[in-house]
Amino acid sequence: MLLGLFAFISSLTYAQVNYSLHDTERHRLDAHVQIYIDDSEKLSHPDILKNDIQQQFINSSGDLQFGYSKATIWLKFSVKKTTSDAEWLLELPAPFLEFVDFYQLQTDSTWSHHESGYYRPQSKRVISHTSHLEPLVFGSDSLSHVYIKIAGRSPKTFPVYILEKEHFYQKTRFEDIGYGIFFGILLVMFFYNLVIYLTLNQINYLLYICTIVCTFFIFASATGYAGKYLWPEYPDLNFYAGRLSLTVITIFLAIFTIRFLEVKQYSKTMYYILYSLPFLAIITGVLTATGIMSSANNNLISISTLVYLATGIVCRLKGNKTANFFIAAWSFYLVGGLLLTLRNSGVLVFNFWTTHFVEIGAVLETTIIAIALGDRYRRYKEEKEEIQLQALQLQQEANERLELKVKERTEELQQTLDTIKLQKEIIEDKNAELDAFFYRISHDLKGPIASLLGLNTLATMDIKDELALDYLNKHHSQVERLNQIINGLINLTRLNNATLQREAIDFEKLINDCIESSRSLHSFEKITFKRDIEINATYHTEWTLLNAIVQNLIENAVKYCSTVNPYVHIYVKTDERGLNIKVKDNGAGISEEYQSKIFEMFYRASQHAQGSGLGLYILKRSVDRLQGTIEVESKIGEGSCFTVQLPPL
Ligand code: ADP
């Protein structure tokens, strides 16, 4: 009776032998399992073994597509092996399944329990792998009885395989190579763009690098490779890397697209839609993280892929050529993403294309965008070179114009110079003629003036009448003045024509002679003369010119001297700057407004001036010929100081 009951229970708890492992190496069991969906998510394996639950197991109708179901899925099956030596592995090649538990009837009629799953450490698994694995144990009747519990929030669309061990490892090697290439391409793209970023320092490259890093982590965790190799004992990281990085990549991709396609410039609508994506990503991130809606992030990625593609198309239609690449890149990714999303939600079956097309799409997208970035950079460089070339041409043109203008101006200047030279020559000729004329007239006048003076002297001796004598004196002073003018003019013409001949100057003698020759001036006797001569080295210069300078200065100082205590101070000094002559008096002084004019020909600063107005003109001409300078400091009623500076010779 008991035995009968046991047999009955056994017949319930072990599924009927619904699959026989004949000689092929790989068996897909999806259609040969029995399914129980535990909506309470609480039942344990012993609960499942209970009769009432056993009766609720239903036969699978085909592919195992439960989508984003929260319920715990229980599968059970029994298989029979037909070859004695083969070792078989049960595989669920869906790394993202969060909690997978294998229960298997052992030869001693007890149930073994092994754990696997996305959120479980590798050390808990019987076989450390990206997939969830359980080695099958067969009883003496060559039967294996297995229960699989699948819990968690991830999409529950997955296949169940039984593979011959050797075949399984062969398949693993093949998959490893495939993923090696996949992650290798991502790494190459990462470093390629990193180098470009470091060279160009353009933020677009940095954003793109961030998207590559996110892509790397999303796929590394979704495929189980990160869980196996990067953080085998910290499966919780799979959650952040696989799910939450979808939030981060959406943010980066939205900003990257805005910048890369210069969306604001081409379409305001697409710009605002893209701008809203980062905010949506944060919301979906929270929904996913809290478990309120596990699929939120995945759904957003699918939607945003469509947005990127649409943005590419809109920008292309509005004339952005770089968008070509962008459209191509996202088309592939979109197809892959759609296939995956539809698979995850249970619409499509789990097969190679629904699983791997998104990976192919990701690699193509990454590569095409990298090419597009390169293309954009090339365009940018070309544009820059074009602008530089234009700037250079403009510069050249400007230079040529400038050169032409300079040439024209130089020619004009040359013409003006030639004209000036010609005019100067004419003036010099005229001056020479004038000088010759002055010279001749002066000489011709000298004789009659001497006769007039002689006659005048004779007349003053013979005539006794007072009035006539007075007239004769006035006549004499006018003739004397005429004589002075004529002498001045003779001196001037002499100065103009004389060739310079230098000689050593005896300053003591020169000054004394000049003072002496002023003796005839009426105020001479009252004047105190003071001489300061500091000559350290013999000074050579044209005596006639220097004499004209000193003579004129002393004569004027005497002529315009003070009525009270008049003095004339003559100061001569040589140093490295040349010869310095100062003649200072305390006489009438010259008003400031006349100081600049006193060196002009025939200029007299006051009505009472006794001279011809030629003295300072001759002096200035002499200073100029010796390449020196003359300055005057004077105040009406206080006196004057004339300073002559002549260069060292
Ligand atoms: P002039 O033969 O009339 O003295 P100058 O050319 O020597 O002519 O001087 C020009 C004018 O400068 C003079 O008419 C005089 O008014 C003024 N002048 C020159 N030297 C002195 C001086 N030392 N003191 C006051 N006035 C002077």
Side-chain angles (χ1 to χ4, degrees), residues 22-36:
H22 43 86
D23 268 343
T24 55
E25 297 152 332
R26 184 167 175 263
H27 305 272
R28 187 160 175 169
L29 247 68
D30 299 24
H32 308 285
V33 297
Q34 290 183 300
I35 305 162
Y36 171 71

Side-chain angles (χ1 to χ4, degrees), residues 245-310:
S245 52
L246 291 175
T247 301
V248 184
I249 198 173
T250 307
I251 295 172
F252 282 133
L253 275 173
I255 302 171
F256 173 74
T257 309
I258 289 173
R259 292 177 59 95
F260 179 74
L261 292 179
E262 292 162 339
V263 179
K264 199 174 179 185
Q265 203 180 309
Y266 290 98
S267 164
K268 281 266 179 326
T269 319
M270 290 325 288
Y271 173 74
Y272 290 119
I273 294 176
L274 281 169
Y275 218 82
S276 63
L277 283 182
F279 300 101
L280 280 175
I282 292 168
I283 297 169
T284 55
V286 173
L287 290 177
T288 308
T290 51
I292 297 172
M293 190 182 171
S294 314
S295 61
N297 262 352
N298 291 56
N299 294 342
L300 180 70
I301 273 281
S302 311
I303 294 165
S304 44
T305 309
L306 272 172
V307 173
Y308 303 140
L309 188 63

Side-chain angles (χ1 to χ4, degrees), residues 481 484 552-561 583-591 594 597-619 632 634-636 639-642:
R481 197 165 134 69
Q484 268 181 23
N552 272 300
L553 289 177
I554 293 176
E555 255 183 34
N556 279 351
V558 174
K559 261 195 278 182
Y560 305 105
C561 73
V583 176
K584 193 171 183 308
D585 62 65
N586 59 343
I590 310 157
S591 138
Y594 301 136
K597 295 183 179 156
I598 52 175
F599 299 102
E600 290 171 13
M601 201 181 208
F602 298 122
Y603 189 83
R604 292 187 297 163
S606 84
Q607 296 274 310
H608 318 290
Q610 304 147 22
S612 58
L614 270 174
L616 287 182
Y617 176 70
I618 294 172
L619 184 148
V632 60
S634 183
K635 258 192 182 158
I636 286 278
S640 314
C641 178
F642 285 85

